[in-house]
Amino acid sequence: MNKKIKEIMKTDVYTVSDEATIKDVLQVLVESKTSGLPIVNAKQQVVGFISDGDIMKFIAKQNPRIIDMTSFITVWYDTESFEKKLHDLMDLSVMELATTKLVSVETDYDIDEVAKVLGEKKIKKVPVLEDGKLAGVISRSDILRYILGIYLEKEEK
């Protein structure tokens, strides 16, 4: 019998409001030692997800881009300093960087179904919903810990 995700998901979840700034997000990420956060609205509905990867993309040095404007072609170079990017980053709304095409799972999903979602979408963690509201979060490392626990349990027998 396959175990349901609600049996191993984390229910003590760090979140940020959809009205938070990236500065708020950074404080929660650093203090909670986590890599991503569900974003919730006033009704506690998940409206997005923000990860350390989203922030890295914003501050990263960008490769030159060729822009074709039909009558002429130009090359755009990233000349903004790291300090300027950091300054611009802090006051951004979380929703400006967040992923809003939400990937989520339900509490009644089997573990192998969640593993498929995480693997196919190439994401580290996913919000778990119940009746449209945030019930928890499940990560690849949660599933790996569960797998190791099963293996060690069988080894002891």
Side-chain angles (χ1 to χ4, degrees), residues 71-84:
S71 59
F72 68 95
I73 295 175
T74 188
V75 179
W76 173 85
Y77 294 94
D78 181 2
T79 58
E80 221 172 52
S81 72
F82 183 70
E83 290 75 20
K84 170 84 168 96

Side-chain angles (χ1 to χ4, degrees), residues 57-141:
K57 287 177 194 169
F58 184 87
I59 63 171
K61 184 78 172 167
Q62 302 295 313
N63 291 329
R65 290 187 218 153
I66 296 174
I67 302 168
D68 183 357
M69 299 188 157
T70 310
S71 59
F72 68 95
I73 295 175
T74 188
V75 179
W76 173 85
Y77 294 94
D78 181 2
T79 58
E80 221 172 52
S81 72
F82 183 70
E83 290 75 20
K84 170 84 168 96
K85 287 180 184 178
L86 289 181
H87 180 268
D88 293 346
L89 174 71
M90 292 302 165
D91 292 327
L92 282 178
S93 162
V94 66
M95 298 309 291
E96 291 182 67
L97 290 188
T99 301
T100 55
K101 290 183 180 175
L102 190 63
V103 176
S104 64
V105 296
E106 298 288 328
T107 55
D108 63 348
Y109 274 39
D110 291 332
I111 291 173
D112 58 350
E113 291 175 296
V114 176
K116 179 180 180 183
V117 170
L118 294 170
E120 286 180 352
K121 299 292 184 179
K122 297 180 181 172
I123 54 179
K124 295 179 188 175
K125 63 174 68 173
V126 64
V128 181
L129 305 181
E130 188 168 51
D131 299 324
K133 304 252 175 138
L134 183 65
V137 170
I138 187 74
S139 69
R140 292 187 286 188
S141 61

